[in-house]
Amino acid sequence: ALSVLANFDIAGMLLGRQDFPLLGLELILVALVIFRPLAPARPIVFGNRTLILTAVILVAVCWWGHRAVLFGFDHTRDEQMAVFDSIVFAHGRLVWPLPSAWQEHADALNVRFMLPVARPEAWISAYLPGNAMLRAVVGMFADPALTGPLLSVLALYAVWRCARLLWPEDREAASIAVLTLALSGQVVLTGMTAFAMPAHLAANLLWLWLFLRRRHATDLAALTVGLLATGLHQPLLHPMFVAPFFLLMLAEKQWARLALFTVGYGAIMAFWMVWPHLMVAFVAGPHSVVASGTGYTDRLRDMLAGNYRAIPVMAANLLRFVTWQWLGFLPLLLAGFAVTRHDRMAQTLAGGMLLTVAVMTVILASQGYGFGYRYLHGLLGNAALLSGYGWRALAGERDRLRRFVWRAATLSLLVQLPAQMYLAHRQYGAYAGADARLAASGTDYVLVDQRHAPFLGDLALNRPDLSNRPIRLIASSFGD
């Protein structure tokens, strides 16, 4: 009964079906944490064995969850395009040739989020290639579904290294930062998917680890990471993470370093801004028509023209962001934000989060479907480190607060995270079931009418070589 969702805005739909129920559950759990803090008061300090065990469990849960929780199904078009492109790249191609018989009718094959070319000779998504290339590389040695889990563990390791550089004398604050990522429902569930967000999180934290080393060689390595991070899927997300660090270098009068990063990121942005135009040259033929929206300037103009109800949608996004984190997330994050009054690094980390929210409110408030708020996923490392700052600010209260943190962590792991998995399982299951019925139809072609529910058009998914049966076609491409 997917049609019951048809009349709801996606953000509003998720608010009612997932976020409010989660919020109600979490308020009950918070009350249990506050009024029954029966938990050990021992320090929250992770040793190497704990970190390794946490990493192994995270990989295992994310890999298992891709199939057991999410049915091994790519629900959204973003996930599907990452898999589609990775198949193309795994075959040593940049685009996949489209048979001449389909070139006139490419729209029927579902070209949403493909390069906007009518009558194309080949096809590829309009996203930048980094995330799909990572999946293709992992697929050379293992299951491509391990990409998200491995990147999430890389983020866990990198946030630990960043925290140890920031607070070498305070292993407990670093452990709080790791705990914030490891217990995040957004990190765990998104790690089960083909979304580019685990790659953004890992790349941003790896960049920060290199930046904090303050050496010429590691700065050059950070620029190399920045090249990949900017080209993961959209060119704006990583630069919004990096931008506040330019102000930090300016404030600290690191002129040579500032010049290096300015020139480096100028070249990085120029390269990726040209990328879609290069790909169009491979996709378009002599009879093709290149539509507007190929370049990022055109896309930005189109997004601004269609951006309405931005404030309430962003408010729903931020509520969703909070409800998909662990129970100790918000108080520790707020305590960390308080530190920004006198600490430049805390200001820089908070600035990346605030800048991303402000820019995305203006250009693209709606995230579509995602666990938590996807466009802040790459900044969850910032949030984790700010939580560490918050824990340090509460140093005088640690003996009393440790009981609450242990209890919050336990309830998050045993109650909150399974509830989040259940909601994801139910959401993906409705569409995975419909997808399975289409696959088992035994026909050569099937029409998908996308007017009856959100995301229904995404069931019109075909392999690059069109070897799938049935071939799935968008019904509206043939008129009413």
mmCIF file of all heavy atoms in Angstrom, residues 103 106-107 111 114-122 124 126 274-296 298-299 301-302:
data_model
loop_
_atom_site.group_PDB
_atom_site.id
_atom_site.type_symbol
_atom_site.label_atom_id
_atom_site.label_comp_id
_atom_site.label_asym_id
_atom_site.label_seq_id
_atom_site.Cartn_x
_atom_site.Cartn_y
_atom_site.Cartn_z
ATOM 1 N N GLN A 103 18.333 5.044 -28.142
ATOM 2 C CA GLN A 103 18.792 6.429 -28.001
ATOM 3 C C GLN A 103 17.641 7.425 -28.116
ATOM 4 O O GLN A 103 17.589 8.427 -27.391
ATOM 5 C CB GLN A 103 19.874 6.723 -29.044
ATOM 6 C CG GLN A 103 21.169 5.963 -28.769
ATOM 7 C CD GLN A 103 22.196 6.112 -29.875
ATOM 8 O OE1 GLN A 103 22.070 6.972 -30.760
ATOM 9 N NE2 GLN A 103 23.224 5.261 -29.844
ATOM 10 N N ALA A 106 15.529 7.153 -24.695
ATOM 11 C CA ALA A 106 16.305 7.012 -23.458
ATOM 12 C C ALA A 106 15.516 7.467 -22.239
ATOM 13 O O ALA A 106 15.659 6.888 -21.155
ATOM 14 C CB ALA A 106 17.604 7.808 -23.573
ATOM 15 N N ASP A 107 14.665 8.473 -22.399
ATOM 16 C CA ASP A 107 13.884 8.966 -21.253
ATOM 17 C C ASP A 107 13.056 7.853 -20.616
ATOM 18 O O ASP A 107 12.854 7.832 -19.396
ATOM 19 C CB ASP A 107 12.955 10.097 -21.683
ATOM 20 C CG ASP A 107 13.695 11.402 -21.905
ATOM 21 O OD1 ASP A 107 14.905 11.439 -21.612
ATOM 22 O OD2 ASP A 107 13.082 12.371 -22.369
ATOM 23 N N VAL A 111 16.193 8.343 -16.888
ATOM 24 C CA VAL A 111 17.469 9.055 -16.922
ATOM 25 C C VAL A 111 17.532 10.132 -15.844
ATOM 26 O O VAL A 111 18.312 11.072 -15.938
ATOM 27 C CB VAL A 111 17.710 9.672 -18.313
ATOM 28 C CG1 VAL A 111 17.936 8.590 -19.344
ATOM 29 C CG2 VAL A 111 16.573 10.595 -18.724
ATOM 30 N N MET A 114 20.798 11.410 -14.523
ATOM 31 C CA MET A 114 21.798 11.179 -15.556
ATOM 32 C C MET A 114 22.183 12.525 -16.173
ATOM 33 O O MET A 114 21.496 13.539 -15.977
ATOM 34 C CB MET A 114 21.242 10.259 -16.648
ATOM 35 C CG MET A 114 20.874 8.862 -16.176
ATOM 36 S SD MET A 114 22.345 7.840 -16.018
ATOM 37 C CE MET A 114 21.610 6.241 -15.717
ATOM 38 N N LEU A 115 23.270 12.529 -16.924
ATOM 39 C CA LEU A 115 23.622 13.758 -17.638
ATOM 40 C C LEU A 115 22.475 14.135 -18.573
ATOM 41 O O LEU A 115 21.962 13.278 -19.300
ATOM 42 C CB LEU A 115 24.915 13.561 -18.433
ATOM 43 C CG LEU A 115 26.208 13.556 -17.603
ATOM 44 C CD1 LEU A 115 27.390 13.170 -18.481
ATOM 45 C CD2 LEU A 115 26.457 14.918 -16.959
ATOM 46 N N PRO A 116 22.049 15.413 -18.566
ATOM 47 C CA PRO A 116 20.840 15.816 -19.303
ATOM 48 C C PRO A 116 21.089 15.976 -20.794
ATOM 49 O O PRO A 116 21.238 17.085 -21.311
ATOM 50 C CB PRO A 116 20.486 17.158 -18.646
ATOM 51 C CG PRO A 116 21.796 17.712 -18.184
ATOM 52 C CD PRO A 116 22.630 16.526 -17.784
ATOM 53 N N VAL A 117 21.122 14.855 -21.489
ATOM 54 C CA VAL A 117 21.360 14.845 -22.927
ATOM 55 C C VAL A 117 20.238 14.057 -23.586
ATOM 56 O O VAL A 117 20.025 12.875 -23.255
ATOM 57 C CB VAL A 117 22.726 14.207 -23.266
ATOM 58 C CG1 VAL A 117 22.922 14.127 -24.778
ATOM 59 C CG2 VAL A 117 23.858 14.985 -22.615
ATOM 60 N N ALA A 118 19.506 14.694 -24.499
ATOM 61 C CA ALA A 118 18.470 13.998 -25.257
ATOM 62 C C ALA A 118 19.117 13.236 -26.413
ATOM 63 O O ALA A 118 20.076 13.706 -27.021
ATOM 64 C CB ALA A 118 17.452 15.002 -25.791
ATOM 65 N N ARG A 119 18.581 12.054 -26.694
ATOM 66 C CA ARG A 119 19.118 11.159 -27.715
ATOM 67 C C ARG A 119 20.620 10.901 -27.500
ATOM 68 O O ARG A 119 21.443 11.083 -28.394
ATOM 69 C CB ARG A 119 18.869 11.699 -29.122
ATOM 70 C CG ARG A 119 17.403 11.780 -29.496
ATOM 71 C CD ARG A 119 17.201 12.079 -30.970
ATOM 72 N NE ARG A 119 17.692 13.400 -31.334
ATOM 73 C CZ ARG A 119 16.996 14.525 -31.188
ATOM 74 N NH1 ARG A 119 15.766 14.493 -30.709
ATOM 75 N NH2 ARG A 119 17.508 15.676 -31.552
ATOM 76 N N PRO A 120 20.999 10.452 -26.306
ATOM 77 C CA PRO A 120 22.431 10.220 -26.013
ATOM 78 C C PRO A 120 22.940 8.960 -26.704
ATOM 79 O O PRO A 120 22.189 8.029 -26.977
ATOM 80 C CB PRO A 120 22.438 10.041 -24.500
ATOM 81 C CG PRO A 120 21.102 9.435 -24.207
ATOM 82 C CD PRO A 120 20.137 10.075 -25.182
ATOM 83 N N GLU A 121 24.230 8.931 -26.975
ATOM 84 C CA GLU A 121 24.859 7.732 -27.510
ATOM 85 C C GLU A 121 25.414 6.840 -26.399
ATOM 86 O O GLU A 121 25.768 5.694 -26.644
ATOM 87 C CB GLU A 121 25.980 8.107 -28.482
ATOM 88 C CG GLU A 121 25.470 8.719 -29.776
ATOM 89 C CD GLU A 121 26.548 8.815 -30.834
ATOM 90 O OE1 GLU A 121 27.741 8.653 -30.481
ATOM 91 O OE2 GLU A 121 26.209 9.042 -32.004
ATOM 92 N N ALA A 122 25.491 7.381 -25.199
ATOM 93 C CA ALA A 122 25.957 6.619 -24.037
ATOM 94 C C ALA A 122 25.295 7.229 -22.813
ATOM 95 O O ALA A 122 24.647 8.286 -22.904
ATOM 96 C CB ALA A 122 27.479 6.681 -23.939
ATOM 97 N N ILE A 124 25.636 7.844 -18.340
ATOM 98 C CA ILE A 124 26.349 7.832 -17.066
ATOM 99 C C ILE A 124 25.639 8.843 -16.182
ATOM 100 O O ILE A 124 24.947 9.742 -16.677
ATOM 101 C CB ILE A 124 27.847 8.181 -17.251
ATOM 102 C CG1 ILE A 124 28.674 7.776 -16.020
ATOM 103 C CG2 ILE A 124 28.017 9.666 -17.532
ATOM 104 C CD1 ILE A 124 28.852 6.309 -15.824
ATOM 105 N N ALA A 126 24.978 12.002 -13.570
ATOM 106 C CA ALA A 126 25.464 13.381 -13.525
ATOM 107 C C ALA A 126 26.309 13.637 -12.285
ATOM 108 O O ALA A 126 26.803 14.745 -12.097
ATOM 109 C CB ALA A 126 24.279 14.354 -13.558
ATOM 110 N N VAL A 274 34.705 21.405 -14.369
ATOM 111 C CA VAL A 274 34.795 21.082 -15.798
ATOM 112 C C VAL A 274 34.355 19.640 -16.069
ATOM 113 O O VAL A 274 33.914 19.316 -17.168
ATOM 114 C CB VAL A 274 36.240 21.322 -16.303
ATOM 115 C CG1 VAL A 274 36.436 20.780 -17.708
ATOM 116 C CG2 VAL A 274 36.582 22.807 -16.264
ATOM 117 N N TRP A 275 34.432 18.786 -15.068
ATOM 118 C CA TRP A 275 34.178 17.353 -15.265
ATOM 119 C C TRP A 275 32.868 17.049 -15.989
ATOM 120 O O TRP A 275 32.867 16.240 -16.950
ATOM 121 C CB TRP A 275 34.227 16.633 -13.916
ATOM 122 C CG TRP A 275 34.003 15.150 -14.028
ATOM 123 C CD1 TRP A 275 32.814 14.490 -13.935
ATOM 124 C CD2 TRP A 275 34.994 14.155 -14.272
ATOM 125 N NE1 TRP A 275 32.989 13.138 -14.089
ATOM 126 C CE2 TRP A 275 34.323 12.892 -14.311
ATOM 127 C CE3 TRP A 275 36.374 14.190 -14.469
ATOM 128 C CZ2 TRP A 275 34.992 11.702 -14.526
ATOM 129 C CZ3 TRP A 275 37.049 12.986 -14.688
ATOM 130 C CH2 TRP A 275 36.362 11.770 -14.715
ATOM 131 N N PRO A 276 31.721 17.615 -15.576
ATOM 132 C CA PRO A 276 30.471 17.268 -16.293
ATOM 133 C C PRO A 276 30.522 17.587 -17.779
ATOM 134 O O PRO A 276 29.963 16.855 -18.600
ATOM 135 C CB PRO A 276 29.405 18.111 -15.582
ATOM 136 C CG PRO A 276 29.987 18.416 -14.245
ATOM 137 C CD PRO A 276 31.454 18.557 -14.470
ATOM 138 N N HIS A 277 31.181 18.678 -18.137
ATOM 139 C CA HIS A 277 31.277 19.045 -19.554
ATOM 140 C C HIS A 277 32.139 18.037 -20.312
ATOM 141 O O HIS A 277 31.873 17.722 -21.487
ATOM 142 C CB HIS A 277 31.850 20.455 -19.685
ATOM 143 C CG HIS A 277 31.036 21.505 -19.001
ATOM 144 N ND1 HIS A 277 29.853 21.988 -19.525
ATOM 145 C CD2 HIS A 277 31.213 22.141 -17.808
ATOM 146 C CE1 HIS A 277 29.342 22.891 -18.699
ATOM 147 N NE2 HIS A 277 30.144 23.008 -17.657
ATOM 148 N N LEU A 278 33.179 17.518 -19.649
ATOM 149 C CA LEU A 278 33.995 16.481 -20.281
ATOM 150 C C LEU A 278 33.177 15.220 -20.522
ATOM 151 O O LEU A 278 33.285 14.575 -21.575
ATOM 152 C CB LEU A 278 35.207 16.162 -19.403
ATOM 153 C CG LEU A 278 36.222 17.286 -19.179
ATOM 154 C CD1 LEU A 278 37.312 16.832 -18.208
ATOM 155 C CD2 LEU A 278 36.839 17.732 -20.495
ATOM 156 N N MET A 279 32.346 14.861 -19.552
ATOM 157 C CA MET A 279 31.541 13.656 -19.677
ATOM 158 C C MET A 279 30.475 13.805 -20.770
ATOM 159 O O MET A 279 30.162 12.847 -21.471
ATOM 160 C CB MET A 279 30.881 13.306 -18.341
ATOM 161 C CG MET A 279 31.843 12.821 -17.277
ATOM 162 S SD MET A 279 32.758 11.314 -17.772
ATOM 163 C CE MET A 279 34.319 12.052 -18.327
ATOM 164 N N VAL A 280 29.942 14.985 -20.910
ATOM 165 C CA VAL A 280 28.947 15.227 -21.963
ATOM 166 C C VAL A 280 29.549 14.935 -23.339
ATOM 167 O O VAL A 280 28.875 14.408 -24.233
ATOM 168 C CB VAL A 280 28.414 16.665 -21.881
ATOM 169 C CG1 VAL A 280 27.679 17.055 -23.172
ATOM 170 C CG2 VAL A 280 27.470 16.812 -20.692
ATOM 171 N N ALA A 281 30.821 15.248 -23.510
ATOM 172 C CA ALA A 281 31.472 14.983 -24.799
ATOM 173 C C ALA A 281 31.486 13.495 -25.121
ATOM 174 O O ALA A 281 31.456 13.104 -26.294
ATOM 175 C CB ALA A 281 32.899 15.534 -24.777
ATOM 176 N N PHE A 282 31.524 12.629 -24.077
ATOM 177 C CA PHE A 282 31.490 11.180 -24.293
ATOM 178 C C PHE A 282 30.069 10.664 -24.487
ATOM 179 O O PHE A 282 29.856 9.630 -25.114
ATOM 180 C CB PHE A 282 32.122 10.456 -23.104
ATOM 181 C CG PHE A 282 33.606 10.640 -22.991
ATOM 182 C CD1 PHE A 282 34.132 11.495 -22.040
ATOM 183 C CD2 PHE A 282 34.482 9.970 -23.834
ATOM 184 C CE1 PHE A 282 35.504 11.658 -21.920
ATOM 185 C CE2 PHE A 282 35.849 10.135 -23.730
ATOM 186 C CZ PHE A 282 36.370 10.990 -22.767
ATOM 187 N N VAL A 283 29.096 11.372 -23.915
ATOM 188 C CA VAL A 283 27.703 10.914 -23.944
ATOM 189 C C VAL A 283 26.975 11.378 -25.197
ATOM 190 O O VAL A 283 26.181 10.638 -25.786
ATOM 191 C CB VAL A 283 26.962 11.409 -22.674
ATOM 192 C CG1 VAL A 283 25.461 11.207 -22.799
ATOM 193 C CG2 VAL A 283 27.506 10.689 -21.443
ATOM 194 N N ALA A 284 27.220 12.598 -25.611
ATOM 195 C CA ALA A 284 26.479 13.192 -26.725
ATOM 196 C C ALA A 284 27.058 12.757 -28.070
ATOM 197 O O ALA A 284 28.270 12.594 -28.223
ATOM 198 C CB ALA A 284 26.502 14.711 -26.614
ATOM 199 N N GLY A 285 26.169 12.564 -29.033
ATOM 200 C CA GLY A 285 26.561 12.261 -30.402
ATOM 201 C C GLY A 285 26.109 13.368 -31.337
ATOM 202 O O GLY A 285 25.590 14.406 -30.899
ATOM 203 N N PRO A 286 26.257 13.174 -32.629
ATOM 204 C CA PRO A 286 25.895 14.229 -33.598
ATOM 205 C C PRO A 286 24.405 14.564 -33.600
ATOM 206 O O PRO A 286 24.024 15.657 -34.003
ATOM 207 C CB PRO A 286 26.348 13.640 -34.942
ATOM 208 C CG PRO A 286 26.475 12.169 -34.714
ATOM 209 C CD PRO A 286 26.864 12.009 -33.285
ATOM 210 N N HIS A 287 23.554 13.639 -33.151
ATOM 211 C CA HIS A 287 22.116 13.890 -33.151
ATOM 212 C C HIS A 287 21.573 14.186 -31.742
ATOM 213 O O HIS A 287 20.362 14.290 -31.560
ATOM 214 C CB HIS A 287 21.376 12.680 -33.731
ATOM 215 C CG HIS A 287 21.830 12.308 -35.111
ATOM 216 N ND1 HIS A 287 21.615 13.120 -36.206
ATOM 217 C CD2 HIS A 287 22.513 11.217 -35.563
ATOM 218 C CE1 HIS A 287 22.129 12.548 -37.283
ATOM 219 N NE2 HIS A 287 22.679 11.395 -36.920
ATOM 220 N N SER A 288 22.462 14.318 -30.781
ATOM 221 C CA SER A 288 22.043 14.563 -29.402
ATOM 222 C C SER A 288 21.747 16.035 -29.178
ATOM 223 O O SER A 288 22.229 16.911 -29.910
ATOM 224 C CB SER A 288 23.133 14.108 -28.421
ATOM 225 O OG SER A 288 23.425 12.742 -28.596
ATOM 226 N N VAL A 289 20.970 16.296 -28.159
ATOM 227 C CA VAL A 289 20.662 17.669 -27.733
ATOM 228 C C VAL A 289 21.037 17.775 -26.259
ATOM 229 O O VAL A 289 20.494 17.052 -25.420
ATOM 230 C CB VAL A 289 19.175 18.010 -27.927
ATOM 231 C CG1 VAL A 289 18.886 19.421 -27.414
ATOM 232 C CG2 VAL A 289 18.786 17.876 -29.391
ATOM 233 N N VAL A 290 21.969 18.667 -25.968
ATOM 234 C CA VAL A 290 22.420 18.864 -24.588
ATOM 235 C C VAL A 290 21.508 19.881 -23.929
ATOM 236 O O VAL A 290 21.424 21.032 -24.361
ATOM 237 C CB VAL A 290 23.885 19.330 -24.539
ATOM 238 C CG1 VAL A 290 24.322 19.538 -23.098
ATOM 239 C CG2 VAL A 290 24.786 18.319 -25.238
ATOM 240 N N ALA A 291 20.800 19.456 -22.894
ATOM 241 C CA ALA A 291 19.852 20.329 -22.210
ATOM 242 C C ALA A 291 20.572 21.205 -21.194
ATOM 243 O O ALA A 291 21.743 20.989 -20.866
ATOM 244 C CB ALA A 291 18.788 19.485 -21.511
ATOM 245 N N SER A 292 19.870 22.204 -20.678
ATOM 246 C CA SER A 292 20.426 23.020 -19.602
ATOM 247 C C SER A 292 20.549 22.160 -18.356
ATOM 248 O O SER A 292 19.865 21.150 -18.197
ATOM 249 C CB SER A 292 19.524 24.216 -19.318
ATOM 250 O OG SER A 292 18.257 23.781 -18.843
ATOM 251 N N GLY A 293 21.434 22.576 -17.475
ATOM 252 C CA GLY A 293 21.638 21.817 -16.250
ATOM 253 C C GLY A 293 22.851 20.920 -16.308
ATOM 254 O O GLY A 293 23.116 20.170 -15.375
ATOM 255 N N THR A 294 23.616 20.999 -17.404
ATOM 256 C CA THR A 294 24.827 20.191 -17.508
ATOM 257 C C THR A 294 25.887 20.671 -16.532
ATOM 258 O O THR A 294 26.475 19.898 -15.796
ATOM 259 C CB THR A 294 25.385 20.247 -18.945
ATOM 260 O OG1 THR A 294 24.407 19.719 -19.832
ATOM 261 C CG2 THR A 294 26.665 19.447 -19.045
ATOM 262 N N GLY A 295 26.114 21.980 -16.517
ATOM 263 C CA GLY A 295 27.119 22.549 -15.626
ATOM 264 C C GLY A 295 26.546 22.896 -14.269
ATOM 265 O O GLY A 295 25.330 22.974 -14.079
ATOM 266 N N TYR A 296 27.433 23.135 -13.305
ATOM 267 C CA TYR A 296 26.978 23.389 -11.942
ATOM 268 C C TYR A 296 26.348 24.770 -11.788
ATOM 269 O O TYR A 296 25.506 24.974 -10.911
ATOM 270 C CB TYR A 296 28.131 23.190 -10.971
ATOM 271 C CG TYR A 296 28.438 21.731 -10.778
ATOM 272 C CD1 TYR A 296 29.564 21.158 -11.364
ATOM 273 C CD2 TYR A 296 27.578 20.909 -10.056
ATOM 274 C CE1 TYR A 296 29.826 19.805 -11.215
ATOM 275 C CE2 TYR A 296 27.832 19.558 -9.896
ATOM 276 C CZ TYR A 296 28.955 19.015 -10.478
ATOM 277 O OH TYR A 296 29.208 17.677 -10.334
ATOM 278 N N ASP A 298 24.312 26.102 -14.015
ATOM 279 C CA ASP A 298 22.923 25.865 -14.430
ATOM 280 C C ASP A 298 22.150 25.132 -13.335
ATOM 281 O O ASP A 298 20.998 25.452 -13.050
ATOM 282 C CB ASP A 298 22.890 25.035 -15.724
ATOM 283 C CG ASP A 298 23.477 25.778 -16.910
ATOM 284 O OD1 ASP A 298 23.409 27.024 -16.911
ATOM 285 O OD2 ASP A 298 24.005 25.118 -17.820
ATOM 286 N N ARG A 299 22.778 24.147 -12.736
ATOM 287 C CA ARG A 299 22.094 23.377 -11.690
ATOM 288 C C ARG A 299 21.764 24.254 -10.485
ATOM 289 O O ARG A 299 20.685 24.135 -9.900
ATOM 290 C CB ARG A 299 22.975 22.197 -11.253
ATOM 291 C CG ARG A 299 23.247 21.193 -12.362
ATOM 292 C CD ARG A 299 24.018 19.997 -11.811
ATOM 293 N NE ARG A 299 24.690 19.268 -12.879
ATOM 294 C CZ ARG A 299 25.434 18.197 -12.693
ATOM 295 N NH1 ARG A 299 25.616 17.734 -11.460
ATOM 296 N NH2 ARG A 299 26.015 17.578 -13.703
ATOM 297 N N ARG A 301 21.207 27.467 -10.475
ATOM 298 C CA ARG A 301 20.094 28.344 -10.846
ATOM 299 C C ARG A 301 18.769 27.602 -10.777
ATOM 300 O O ARG A 301 17.776 28.112 -10.254
ATOM 301 C CB ARG A 301 20.315 28.901 -12.253
ATOM 302 C CG ARG A 301 19.243 29.903 -12.693
ATOM 303 C CD ARG A 301 19.493 30.419 -14.092
ATOM 304 N NE ARG A 301 19.453 29.354 -15.079
ATOM 305 C CZ ARG A 301 20.511 28.939 -15.770
ATOM 306 N NH1 ARG A 301 21.695 29.488 -15.577
ATOM 307 N NH2 ARG A 301 20.401 27.955 -16.655
ATOM 308 N N ASP A 302 18.757 26.363 -11.264
ATOM 309 C CA ASP A 302 17.523 25.574 -11.227
ATOM 310 C C ASP A 302 17.100 25.265 -9.789
ATOM 311 O O ASP A 302 15.906 25.298 -9.462
ATOM 312 C CB ASP A 302 17.720 24.265 -12.002
ATOM 313 C CG ASP A 302 17.912 24.496 -13.492
ATOM 314 O OD1 ASP A 302 17.555 25.600 -13.974
ATOM 315 O OD2 ASP A 302 18.437 23.587 -14.162
#
